[in-house]
Amino acid sequence: MVDSMYGIHEKLAYLEFMNWMEKHCPHLFCSVHEWVVSILTGTKSHMEEVSTPVPELDHILKGHYLINKTILWCMSISLPGIYLTIPSKSVTVSRSSSNPLISSCVQDLIMKARLPHCQIWNLIYSSNDHGLSMNRFSYHVSSYNGPCVTLIYFEGRNLYCFASDCGWRVSTKRYGGDQCLLIQFHPIYRIVQAGPDICLWNEHNRGLSKGIQIGQDPSSIILDISSEFDSIKHYGVACRLYRIEVWGCGGSSALEAQMKQKQWEAKEVQKHQGRKLNLFQKTETWEENPDKQLLEWGGVRTNHSNPIYLSIYLSIYLSIYLSIYLSILFSRLSIYISIQLI
């Protein structure tokens, strides 16, 4: 990882290091700042009071995942707070409860150093556990509406991290907010791109290439994963795709919402699979009739109480039904005549 960060350089000038840190590791000294302030002021830091205990990371560090301690530390100094901390209301310090020996400047310094509650990451998808395919990837990451981090490992010891502040979703347009990041860990450590409209995931539109594209410029895609999940193009060069992992950074609430959505979708599928279509069923209302949905798909509005509109819709419905009935009748008649002639 040191070689990935600094290459073959044995020495770096101060300005070169500061420029590199501001671009790739903006949070490098936040934890050191927190520790120094707590030592100088003699106060118990906010991180020590409410932060997630270290054993919460055991399920990540002890597993056979792409994330190790080094990668996790690099993420902590590069990713925005939306991926690492739970959003909380601003905390105010009462002057009466504060130490009278500490000046107001130091108190402001303490408040700036205090960090909110650390977020717990949940594994949403792992190609080693769930299978390396678009179908399995789509099943596990869909309906997760929180920020997530995706690790992509492919040929050439290349390891990328794509941080999406709005999760994964199928779309015909590029999406992503201001806190999206594309980070390369190996063989070079750097923040490649940051900002909105960085990802495109297309599965159904035939006018666009199917698969996942990461990169803000459509003419210069950085990562292009095929729809079969068997290869990836790295700046246009085809490489073999090895592993993909997706970690949810939205906490337990986002994970529970995803599970509820999947349970609802499964119930809807079962309900429609067991339903028998009967156009002449008396208990079926017009709102539940599939013909109503077909008319609305065709651009015909059906929710009007005006009798004129109702008569128009009724005539359209009868004409469609009659044309279908006559076509079936004539086809059967033609088959019957052809059999009689033979």
Side-chain angles (χ1 to χ4, degrees):
M1 182 56 68
V2 176
D3 294 336
S4 300
M5 288 183 172
Y6 305 114
I8 61 175
H9 300 285
E10 296 182 357
K11 296 181 179 180
L12 283 177
Y14 174 76
L15 292 179
E16 292 178 352
F17 175 75
M18 289 298 296
N19 293 332
W20 177 86
M21 184 190 70
E22 291 178 358
K23 183 178 180 180
H24 302 290
C25 303
H27 312 295
L28 180 60
F29 295 112
C30 287
S31 57
V32 179
H33 183 205
E34 167 78 8
W35 177 76
V36 170
V37 169
S38 63
I39 294 297
L40 293 177
T41 59
T43 58
K44 193 173 182 179
S45 65
H46 184 65
M47 175 182 276
E48 294 174 346
E49 292 175 354
V50 299
S51 63
T52 304
V54 175
E56 293 290 348
L57 301 177
D58 288 346
H59 72 288
I60 299 177
L61 300 178
K62 290 184 178 180
H64 299 285
Y65 305 119
L66 292 173
I67 296 181
N68 52 34
K69 290 183 179 180
T70 306
I71 298 298
L72 194 61
W73 177 78
C74 292
M75 288 182 176
S76 67
I77 62 177
S78 300
L79 293 176
I82 188 176
Y83 303 97
L84 305 172
T85 59
I86 298 176
S88 59
K89 297 180 179 180
S90 59
V91 182
T92 58
V93 177
S94 174
R95 294 294 180 182
S96 59
S97 61
S98 59
N99 192 336
L101 300 178
I102 301 176
S103 64
S104 59
C105 295
V106 177
Q107 289 180 3
D108 294 338
L109 186 63
I110 295 173
M111 291 305 302
K112 291 180 180 179
R114 290 183 174 179
L115 301 177
H117 198 297
C118 296
Q119 187 62 275
I120 299 176
W121 289 7
N122 299 293
L123 181 64
I124 301 176
Y125 168 77
S126 172
S127 58
N128 281 7
D129 299 337
H130 306 124
L132 186 61
S133 69
M134 176 69 79
N135 184 25
R136 303 307 301 165
F137 175 83
S138 177
Y139 173 79
H140 286 279
V141 304
S142 61
S143 304
Y144 187 86
N145 298 320
C148 61
V149 170
T150 304
L151 295 173
I152 306 170
Y153 181 61
F154 55 94
E155 186 180 357
R157 296 183 66 249
N158 285 282
L159 179 60
Y160 274 81
C161 169
F162 172 57
S164 173
D165 55 4
C166 56
W168 285 95
R169 64 171 181 263
V170 179
S171 177
T172 57
K173 296 181 180 180
R174 277 178 164 72
Y175 67 90
D178 295 332
Q179 304 201 49
C180 286
L181 285 177
L182 179 62
I183 307 173
Q184 184 180 12
F185 289 124
H186 291 298
I188 300 173
Y189 178 81
R190 56 175 178 164
I191 295 180
V192 183
Q193 277 190 359
D197 302 332
I198 195 173
C199 182
L200 174 64
W201 178 13
N202 176 43
E203 283 190 6
H204 310 294
N205 194 324
R206 296 182 179 180
L208 301 172
S209 59
K210 294 184 178 180
I212 298 174
Q213 296 180 358
I214 301 177
Q216 293 173 321
D217 187 3
S219 61
S220 179
I221 303 299
I222 301 172
L223 299 178
D224 189 356
I225 304 175
S226 65
S227 58
E228 290 79 15
F229 264 42
D230 57 349
S231 64
I232 181 173
K233 290 183 179 180
H234 185 216
Y235 289 101
V237 179
C239 301
R240 186 178 177 182
L241 182 62
Y242 293 146
R243 295 177 64 181
I244 295 180
E245 290 178 3
V246 182
W247 293 86
C249 308
S252 58
S253 59
L255 189 63
E256 292 174 0
Q258 183 194 29
M259 296 301 296
K260 290 181 180 179
Q261 178 66 21
K262 287 187 176 297
Q263 291 174 1
W264 178 83
E265 291 175 357
K267 290 181 181 179
E268 288 295 314
V269 170
Q270 292 178 357
K271 183 175 72 173
H272 288 289
Q273 284 179 348
R275 179 184 178 185
K276 295 182 179 179
L277 181 62
N278 187 0
L279 298 178
F280 303 100
Q281 186 176 358
K282 293 182 180 180
T283 58
E284 188 179 57
T285 63
W286 172 245
E287 295 294 331
E288 299 175 351
N289 197 305
D291 292 332
K292 176 179 180 294
Q293 188 172 9
L294 290 175
L295 290 173
E296 291 180 348
W297 285 350
V300 179
R301 296 180 60 188
T302 59
N303 295 326
H304 282 289
S305 58
N306 194 326
I308 298 177
Y309 287 106
L310 291 177
S311 61
I312 294 175
Y313 299 145
L314 183 61
S315 61
I316 294 174
Y317 171 75
L318 292 176
S319 61
I320 294 175
Y321 183 80
L322 184 61
S323 62
I324 296 174
Y325 177 77
L326 291 176
S327 63
I328 296 174
L329 180 63
F330 284 129
S331 62
R332 290 183 177 179
L333 183 62
S334 60
I335 293 173
Y336 176 77
I337 294 173
S338 62
I339 294 174
Q340 293 296 327
L341 292 176
I342 293 174

